[in-house]
Amino acid sequence: MTGGPAELVSRTPEELRALLPEVPAYRVGQAFRWLQKGARAFDEMTDLPLSFRARLAELGHLTAPTAARCQTARDGTAKILWRLSDGQGVESVLMRYRHGNTVCLSTQAGCRQGCAFCASTVGGLIRNLTAGEMLAQVTGTAREVGVPVSGVVLMGIGEPLDNLDEVERFVRLLAHPDGLRMSPRRVSLSTCGLIDGIDRLAAAALPLTLSVSLHAPDDGTRTRLMPGNPGVSVLLDACRRYFKATGRRVSYEYILLRDVNDTEDRAHLLGRLLAGTPAHVNLIPYNPAGRGEFRPSRPDQVRCFAAAVASHGPSVTCRRRLGQEIDAACGQLRRQIE
Ligand code: SF4
């Protein structure tokens, strides 16, 4: 765990009990619940004796990032820039859907994957976030915006599979019956395609949704967009292994970039590659506030692309463009405090 023993929010009840052998188990359970609810001060833990609160403060610290900035769009999408305890900035986005509110959160400060369309990778990877820092984004976003959160998407700054130990810890804490009780089925993990990580995730038996950022069906285009591309066929093989091990359909994210990856022949190639395996393709309109090199596809091209992919069998949706006026593409806000 990167946060060390002092970071209490990342601890399971068993780990807290081991750190506090002199404290009755039910008291440790009460402290765990406060930590998971996102308490920002030990004084908030009003049902704990003062002496126990003092002991906790002596033992470690609370993970309470401060909201350095919060922008809200007309459609209710809210983007929050968090300043972490060491001054690093990460972003979370609250997205409002008919079925509930979802937080898109960051798993790393910076990213080393180098995707050409992504602002988060400018400056490389600074450090991994702890499970507690991920949890604090969920509880903090709910508190800042004043709404309940029923889903989590690991699609903010960072590559979750590059920080899998902490991500796995986070998902297990999130589901804990004495914590936020959010099932892994309400969690979606988005990866640029780290093969070892996909295989490890398949073995971890967490029923979350694996979402692969594919963005091109051919290696030439994909490597240009995503320099860590292991090869499209290698990646799709790993996805098939994941489906075989978990029985869970893989989602494929595809940012449509005008004249780069949005031609009809690429749509048919994508459809053919995914035919025969349960797959869902989510087409994402490019947010042009990014690095300037790309433009979004025209609406008629988006429709044409979607129809061509669907003609081979995969289900296809086109993501609604949320929070357009607040630069909701990840990594853009963070750079404003650097
Ligand atoms: S798209 Fe994701 S994996 Fe790629 S550079 Fe951005 S944050 Fe990293």
Side-chain angles (χ1 to χ4, degrees):
M1 195 192 312
T2 47
E7 211 220 22
L8 299 178
V9 186
S10 293
R11 296 281 164 182
T12 63
E14 297 73 27
E15 288 166 343
L16 284 177
R17 278 201 292 276
L19 289 169
L20 294 157
E22 75 284 9
V23 177
Y26 80 95
R27 286 285 185 213
V28 176
Q30 284 175 303
F32 176 77
R33 284 193 281 280
W34 278 111
L35 291 165
Q36 296 301 301
K37 277 193 328 197
R40 284 174 294 172
F42 291 107
D43 283 346
E44 285 179 26
M45 304 179 178
T46 45
D47 57 356
L48 300 185
L50 284 174
S51 58
F52 183 33
R53 287 186 233 168
R55 175 77 184 99
L56 286 169
E58 195 182 277
L59 188 69
H61 60 81
L62 297 172
T63 305
T66 49
R69 205 160 156 189
C70 182
Q71 299 176 320
T72 306
R74 281 186 294 276
D75 62 14
T77 304
K79 185 167 190 172
I80 302 173
L81 173 64
W82 299 107
R83 195 184 296 276
L84 304 176
S85 53
D86 60 354
Q88 286 301 317
V90 294
E91 300 166 12
S92 311
V93 179
L94 179 89
M95 298 170 295
R96 292 164 173 256
Y97 298 107
R98 271 190 296 277
H99 57 266
N101 301 314
T102 293
V103 177
C104 173
L105 56 84
S106 300
T107 54
Q108 296 180 308
C111 183
R112 62 173 135 203
Q113 306 302 323
C115 300
F117 48 82
C118 177
S120 302
T121 197
V122 178
L125 174 67
I126 309 297
R127 69 170 175 87
N128 286 330
L129 300 198
T130 64
E133 287 169 329
M134 295 175 219
L135 272 166
Q137 290 175 70
V138 178
T139 52
T141 300
R143 188 177 53 239
E144 285 294 321
V145 185
V147 295
V149 169
S150 57
V152 164
V153 183
L154 302 172
M155 200 189 270
I157 297 169
E159 163 53 62
L161 296 185
D162 193 31
N163 183 20
L164 186 49
D165 288 345
E166 288 301 304
V167 164
E168 190 178 336
R169 175 178 280 272
F170 160 70
V171 175
R172 293 192 193 283
L173 284 170
L174 196 63
H176 198 285
D178 290 331
L180 297 181
R181 306 172 76 161
M182 189 186 297
S183 161
R185 291 179 191 281
R186 319 269 337 190
V187 177
S188 178
L189 182 152
S190 175
T191 177
C192 67
L194 303 190
I195 304 301
D196 288 355
I198 292 173
D199 287 335
R200 273 186 61 199
L201 194 63
L206 285 173
L208 46 72
T209 298
L210 176 66
S211 179
V212 171
S213 300
L214 193 57
H215 307 323
D218 60 287
D219 281 329
T221 312
R222 191 165 197 273
T223 303
R224 175 185 159 203
L225 295 175
M226 308 177 82
N229 177 30
V232 171
S233 62
V234 173
L235 176 54
L236 294 182
D237 280 348
C239 294
R240 286 186 201 100
R241 287 196 297 278
Y242 181 85
F243 174 72
K244 204 169 162 199
T246 65
R248 296 188 64 77
R249 182 180 75 165
V250 175
S251 281
Y252 297 91
E253 307 286 331
Y254 199 106
I255 295 181
L256 283 164
L257 306 168
R258 191 188 301 183
D259 302 330
V260 174
N261 65 354
D262 67 347
T263 55
E264 206 172 333
D265 61 321
R266 287 209 169 78
H268 282 293
L269 178 56
L270 176 63
R272 283 197 299 276
L273 286 173
L274 299 180
T277 316
H280 176 77
V281 176
N282 192 17
L283 301 176
I284 304 171
Y286 175 61
N287 185 333
R291 287 166 69 177
E293 191 185 334
F294 302 106
R295 290 173 303 162
S297 299
R298 295 182 185 85
D300 58 333
Q301 192 59 29
V302 173
R303 283 192 291 277
C304 184
F305 194 95
V309 175
S311 71
H312 297 271
S315 63
V316 181
T317 50
C318 188
R319 186 185 294 169
R320 250 191 323 141
R321 216 167 179 165
L322 295 173
Q324 260 181 285
E325 71 269 28
I326 57 166
D327 293 351
C330 74
Q332 288 167 353
L333 203 55
R334 171 176 172 261
R335 299 202 61 76
Q336 295 175 17
I337 64 162
E338 288 177 346

PDB file of all heavy atoms in Angstrom, residues 137-161:
ATOM      1  N   GLN A 137     -12.395  10.527  -3.289  1.00  0.00           N
ATOM      2  CA  GLN A 137     -12.996  11.187  -4.455  1.00  0.00           C
ATOM      3  C   GLN A 137     -14.489  10.869  -4.538  1.00  0.00           C
ATOM      4  O   GLN A 137     -15.294  11.711  -4.942  1.00  0.00           O
ATOM      5  CB  GLN A 137     -12.299  10.758  -5.743  1.00  0.00           C
ATOM      6  CG  GLN A 137     -10.883  11.298  -5.891  1.00  0.00           C
ATOM      7  CD  GLN A 137     -10.211  10.744  -7.134  1.00  0.00           C
ATOM      8  OE1 GLN A 137     -10.571  11.082  -8.247  1.00  0.00           O
ATOM      9  NE2 GLN A 137      -9.234   9.875  -6.944  1.00  0.00           N
ATOM     10  N   VAL A 138     -14.864   9.645  -4.150  1.00  0.00           N
ATOM     11  CA  VAL A 138     -16.284   9.273  -4.192  1.00  0.00           C
ATOM     12  C   VAL A 138     -17.055  10.034  -3.113  1.00  0.00           C
ATOM     13  O   VAL A 138     -18.041  10.725  -3.398  1.00  0.00           O
ATOM     14  CB  VAL A 138     -16.461   7.748  -3.985  1.00  0.00           C
ATOM     15  CG1 VAL A 138     -17.942   7.374  -3.992  1.00  0.00           C
ATOM     16  CG2 VAL A 138     -15.700   6.962  -5.043  1.00  0.00           C
ATOM     17  N   THR A 139     -16.573   9.937  -1.878  1.00  0.00           N
ATOM     18  CA  THR A 139     -17.309  10.590  -0.779  1.00  0.00           C
ATOM     19  C   THR A 139     -17.228  12.113  -0.915  1.00  0.00           C
ATOM     20  O   THR A 139     -18.203  12.819  -0.664  1.00  0.00           O
ATOM     21  CB  THR A 139     -16.739  10.156   0.588  1.00  0.00           C
ATOM     22  OG1 THR A 139     -15.320  10.358   0.594  1.00  0.00           O
ATOM     23  CG2 THR A 139     -17.023   8.694   0.859  1.00  0.00           C
ATOM     24  N   GLY A 140     -16.072  12.602  -1.355  1.00  0.00           N
ATOM     25  CA  GLY A 140     -15.896  14.052  -1.488  1.00  0.00           C
ATOM     26  C   GLY A 140     -16.777  14.620  -2.590  1.00  0.00           C
ATOM     27  O   GLY A 140     -17.357  15.699  -2.439  1.00  0.00           O
ATOM     28  N   THR A 141     -16.899  13.913  -3.698  1.00  0.00           N
ATOM     29  CA  THR A 141     -17.736  14.404  -4.800  1.00  0.00           C
ATOM     30  C   THR A 141     -19.202  14.435  -4.371  1.00  0.00           C
ATOM     31  O   THR A 141     -19.918  15.412  -4.627  1.00  0.00           O
ATOM     32  CB  THR A 141     -17.555  13.512  -6.050  1.00  0.00           C
ATOM     33  OG1 THR A 141     -16.182  13.545  -6.429  1.00  0.00           O
ATOM     34  CG2 THR A 141     -18.406  13.988  -7.207  1.00  0.00           C
ATOM     35  N   ALA A 142     -19.637  13.377  -3.692  1.00  0.00           N
ATOM     36  CA  ALA A 142     -21.027  13.343  -3.213  1.00  0.00           C
ATOM     37  C   ALA A 142     -21.279  14.526  -2.273  1.00  0.00           C
ATOM     38  O   ALA A 142     -22.326  15.179  -2.343  1.00  0.00           O
ATOM     39  CB  ALA A 142     -21.299  12.024  -2.501  1.00  0.00           C
ATOM     40  N   ARG A 143     -20.303  14.801  -1.433  1.00  0.00           N
ATOM     41  CA  ARG A 143     -20.475  15.891  -0.470  1.00  0.00           C
ATOM     42  C   ARG A 143     -20.449  17.261  -1.168  1.00  0.00           C
ATOM     43  O   ARG A 143     -21.305  18.108  -0.916  1.00  0.00           O
ATOM     44  CB  ARG A 143     -19.352  15.802   0.564  1.00  0.00           C
ATOM     45  CG  ARG A 143     -19.523  16.754   1.747  1.00  0.00           C
ATOM     46  CD  ARG A 143     -18.415  16.563   2.761  1.00  0.00           C
ATOM     47  NE  ARG A 143     -17.115  16.649   2.133  1.00  0.00           N
ATOM     48  CZ  ARG A 143     -16.199  15.682   2.141  1.00  0.00           C
ATOM     49  NH1 ARG A 143     -16.435  14.551   2.752  1.00  0.00           N
ATOM     50  NH2 ARG A 143     -15.046  15.844   1.534  1.00  0.00           N
ATOM     51  N   GLU A 144     -19.488  17.457  -2.062  1.00  0.00           N
ATOM     52  CA  GLU A 144     -19.358  18.762  -2.734  1.00  0.00           C
ATOM     53  C   GLU A 144     -20.597  19.100  -3.552  1.00  0.00           C
ATOM     54  O   GLU A 144     -21.047  20.234  -3.582  1.00  0.00           O
ATOM     55  CB  GLU A 144     -18.142  18.764  -3.678  1.00  0.00           C
ATOM     56  CG  GLU A 144     -16.805  18.863  -2.995  1.00  0.00           C
ATOM     57  CD  GLU A 144     -16.581  20.199  -2.295  1.00  0.00           C
ATOM     58  OE1 GLU A 144     -16.985  21.233  -2.850  1.00  0.00           O
ATOM     59  OE2 GLU A 144     -16.032  20.189  -1.187  1.00  0.00           O
ATOM     60  N   VAL A 145     -21.122  18.088  -4.260  1.00  0.00           N
ATOM     61  CA  VAL A 145     -22.249  18.358  -5.160  1.00  0.00           C
ATOM     62  C   VAL A 145     -23.585  18.203  -4.427  1.00  0.00           C
ATOM     63  O   VAL A 145     -24.602  18.737  -4.856  1.00  0.00           O
ATOM     64  CB  VAL A 145     -22.168  17.435  -6.406  1.00  0.00           C
ATOM     65  CG1 VAL A 145     -23.244  17.776  -7.424  1.00  0.00           C
ATOM     66  CG2 VAL A 145     -20.798  17.547  -7.072  1.00  0.00           C
ATOM     67  N   GLY A 146     -23.553  17.446  -3.324  1.00  0.00           N
ATOM     68  CA  GLY A 146     -24.776  17.288  -2.535  1.00  0.00           C
ATOM     69  C   GLY A 146     -25.745  16.281  -3.104  1.00  0.00           C
ATOM     70  O   GLY A 146     -26.962  16.468  -3.013  1.00  0.00           O
ATOM     71  N   VAL A 147     -25.209  15.223  -3.733  1.00  0.00           N
ATOM     72  CA  VAL A 147     -26.083  14.180  -4.287  1.00  0.00           C
ATOM     73  C   VAL A 147     -25.511  12.805  -3.927  1.00  0.00           C
ATOM     74  O   VAL A 147     -24.313  12.675  -3.704  1.00  0.00           O
ATOM     75  CB  VAL A 147     -26.187  14.271  -5.831  1.00  0.00           C
ATOM     76  CG1 VAL A 147     -26.872  15.553  -6.253  1.00  0.00           C
ATOM     77  CG2 VAL A 147     -24.822  14.147  -6.490  1.00  0.00           C
ATOM     78  N   PRO A 148     -26.377  11.767  -3.896  1.00  0.00           N
ATOM     79  CA  PRO A 148     -25.852  10.422  -3.666  1.00  0.00           C
ATOM     80  C   PRO A 148     -25.161   9.904  -4.923  1.00  0.00           C
ATOM     81  O   PRO A 148     -25.467  10.343  -6.033  1.00  0.00           O
ATOM     82  CB  PRO A 148     -27.108   9.593  -3.370  1.00  0.00           C
ATOM     83  CG  PRO A 148     -28.224  10.341  -4.014  1.00  0.00           C
ATOM     84  CD  PRO A 148     -27.837  11.793  -4.026  1.00  0.00           C
ATOM     85  N   VAL A 149     -24.235   8.998  -4.736  1.00  0.00           N
ATOM     86  CA  VAL A 149     -23.505   8.402  -5.867  1.00  0.00           C
ATOM     87  C   VAL A 149     -23.800   6.906  -5.888  1.00  0.00           C
ATOM     88  O   VAL A 149     -23.695   6.234  -4.862  1.00  0.00           O
ATOM     89  CB  VAL A 149     -21.991   8.643  -5.702  1.00  0.00           C
ATOM     90  CG1 VAL A 149     -21.197   7.827  -6.702  1.00  0.00           C
ATOM     91  CG2 VAL A 149     -21.671  10.119  -5.848  1.00  0.00           C
ATOM     92  N   SER A 150     -24.194   6.400  -7.070  1.00  0.00           N
ATOM     93  CA  SER A 150     -24.520   4.981  -7.125  1.00  0.00           C
ATOM     94  C   SER A 150     -23.632   4.196  -8.082  1.00  0.00           C
ATOM     95  O   SER A 150     -23.794   2.993  -8.249  1.00  0.00           O
ATOM     96  CB  SER A 150     -25.994   4.800  -7.530  1.00  0.00           C
ATOM     97  OG  SER A 150     -26.235   5.441  -8.767  1.00  0.00           O
ATOM     98  N   GLY A 151     -22.686   4.857  -8.727  1.00  0.00           N
ATOM     99  CA  GLY A 151     -21.786   4.139  -9.640  1.00  0.00           C
ATOM    100  C   GLY A 151     -20.432   4.817  -9.707  1.00  0.00           C
ATOM    101  O   GLY A 151     -20.306   6.006  -9.393  1.00  0.00           O
ATOM    102  N   VAL A 152     -19.426   4.041 -10.096  1.00  0.00           N
ATOM    103  CA  VAL A 152     -18.068   4.559 -10.203  1.00  0.00           C
ATOM    104  C   VAL A 152     -17.469   4.108 -11.526  1.00  0.00           C
ATOM    105  O   VAL A 152     -17.647   2.956 -11.944  1.00  0.00           O
ATOM    106  CB  VAL A 152     -17.197   4.049  -9.028  1.00  0.00           C
ATOM    107  CG1 VAL A 152     -15.718   4.230  -9.318  1.00  0.00           C
ATOM    108  CG2 VAL A 152     -17.558   4.772  -7.738  1.00  0.00           C
ATOM    109  N   VAL A 153     -16.802   5.026 -12.176  1.00  0.00           N
ATOM    110  CA  VAL A 153     -16.083   4.709 -13.402  1.00  0.00           C
ATOM    111  C   VAL A 153     -14.614   5.066 -13.184  1.00  0.00           C
ATOM    112  O   VAL A 153     -14.307   6.201 -12.830  1.00  0.00           O
ATOM    113  CB  VAL A 153     -16.635   5.535 -14.593  1.00  0.00           C
ATOM    114  CG1 VAL A 153     -15.929   5.153 -15.870  1.00  0.00           C
ATOM    115  CG2 VAL A 153     -18.114   5.326 -14.749  1.00  0.00           C
ATOM    116  N   LEU A 154     -13.735   4.104 -13.377  1.00  0.00           N
ATOM    117  CA  LEU A 154     -12.300   4.378 -13.232  1.00  0.00           C
ATOM    118  C   LEU A 154     -11.780   4.772 -14.599  1.00  0.00           C
ATOM    119  O   LEU A 154     -11.270   3.949 -15.361  1.00  0.00           O
ATOM    120  CB  LEU A 154     -11.575   3.141 -12.695  1.00  0.00           C
ATOM    121  CG  LEU A 154     -12.098   2.642 -11.344  1.00  0.00           C
ATOM    122  CD1 LEU A 154     -11.463   1.305 -10.985  1.00  0.00           C
ATOM    123  CD2 LEU A 154     -11.842   3.657 -10.252  1.00  0.00           C
ATOM    124  N   MET A 155     -12.000   6.040 -14.929  1.00  0.00           N
ATOM    125  CA  MET A 155     -11.681   6.504 -16.269  1.00  0.00           C
ATOM    126  C   MET A 155     -11.145   7.930 -16.236  1.00  0.00           C
ATOM    127  O   MET A 155     -11.127   8.630 -17.243  1.00  0.00           O
ATOM    128  CB  MET A 155     -12.957   6.443 -17.136  1.00  0.00           C
ATOM    129  CG  MET A 155     -12.699   6.425 -18.623  1.00  0.00           C
ATOM    130  SD  MET A 155     -14.207   6.606 -19.567  1.00  0.00           S
ATOM    131  CE  MET A 155     -14.721   4.932 -19.776  1.00  0.00           C
ATOM    132  N   GLY A 156     -10.746   8.388 -15.050  1.00  0.00           N
ATOM    133  CA  GLY A 156     -10.182   9.731 -14.941  1.00  0.00           C
ATOM    134  C   GLY A 156      -8.692   9.686 -15.257  1.00  0.00           C
ATOM    135  O   GLY A 156      -8.242   8.913 -16.105  1.00  0.00           O
ATOM    136  N   ILE A 157      -7.929  10.484 -14.549  1.00  0.00           N
ATOM    137  CA  ILE A 157      -6.489  10.531 -14.802  1.00  0.00           C
ATOM    138  C   ILE A 157      -5.843   9.216 -14.366  1.00  0.00           C
ATOM    139  O   ILE A 157      -6.090   8.720 -13.271  1.00  0.00           O
ATOM    140  CB  ILE A 157      -5.866  11.713 -14.038  1.00  0.00           C
ATOM    141  CG1 ILE A 157      -6.441  13.036 -14.560  1.00  0.00           C
ATOM    142  CG2 ILE A 157      -4.341  11.687 -14.151  1.00  0.00           C
ATOM    143  CD1 ILE A 157      -6.087  14.229 -13.714  1.00  0.00           C
ATOM    144  N   GLY A 158      -5.001   8.664 -15.227  1.00  0.00           N
ATOM    145  CA  GLY A 158      -4.243   7.467 -14.871  1.00  0.00           C
ATOM    146  C   GLY A 158      -4.751   6.210 -15.535  1.00  0.00           C
ATOM    147  O   GLY A 158      -5.856   6.160 -16.069  1.00  0.00           O
ATOM    148  N   GLU A 159      -3.915   5.186 -15.510  1.00  0.00           N
ATOM    149  CA  GLU A 159      -4.253   3.870 -16.045  1.00  0.00           C
ATOM    150  C   GLU A 159      -4.474   2.947 -14.840  1.00  0.00           C
ATOM    151  O   GLU A 159      -3.525   2.594 -14.129  1.00  0.00           O
ATOM    152  CB  GLU A 159      -3.078   3.380 -16.933  1.00  0.00           C
ATOM    153  CG  GLU A 159      -3.067   1.900 -17.245  1.00  0.00           C
ATOM    154  CD  GLU A 159      -4.361   1.375 -17.835  1.00  0.00           C
ATOM    155  OE1 GLU A 159      -4.746   1.818 -18.916  1.00  0.00           O
ATOM    156  OE2 GLU A 159      -4.984   0.487 -17.194  1.00  0.00           O
ATOM    157  N   PRO A 160      -5.732   2.559 -14.585  1.00  0.00           N
ATOM    158  CA  PRO A 160      -6.025   1.778 -13.371  1.00  0.00           C
ATOM    159  C   PRO A 160      -5.210   0.479 -13.265  1.00  0.00           C
ATOM    160  O   PRO A 160      -4.828   0.083 -12.168  1.00  0.00           O
ATOM    161  CB  PRO A 160      -7.524   1.462 -13.497  1.00  0.00           C
ATOM    162  CG  PRO A 160      -8.054   2.417 -14.485  1.00  0.00           C
ATOM    163  CD  PRO A 160      -6.959   2.859 -15.372  1.00  0.00           C
ATOM    164  N   LEU A 161      -4.951  -0.158 -14.395  1.00  0.00           N
ATOM    165  CA  LEU A 161      -4.230  -1.439 -14.314  1.00  0.00           C
ATOM    166  C   LEU A 161      -2.736  -1.232 -14.075  1.00  0.00           C
ATOM    167  O   LEU A 161      -2.010  -2.191 -13.817  1.00  0.00           O
ATOM    168  CB  LEU A 161      -4.459  -2.270 -15.586  1.00  0.00           C
ATOM    169  CG  LEU A 161      -5.907  -2.714 -15.813  1.00  0.00           C
ATOM    170  CD1 LEU A 161      -5.999  -3.623 -17.037  1.00  0.00           C
ATOM    171  CD2 LEU A 161      -6.479  -3.422 -14.588  1.00  0.00           C
TER     172      LEU A 161
END
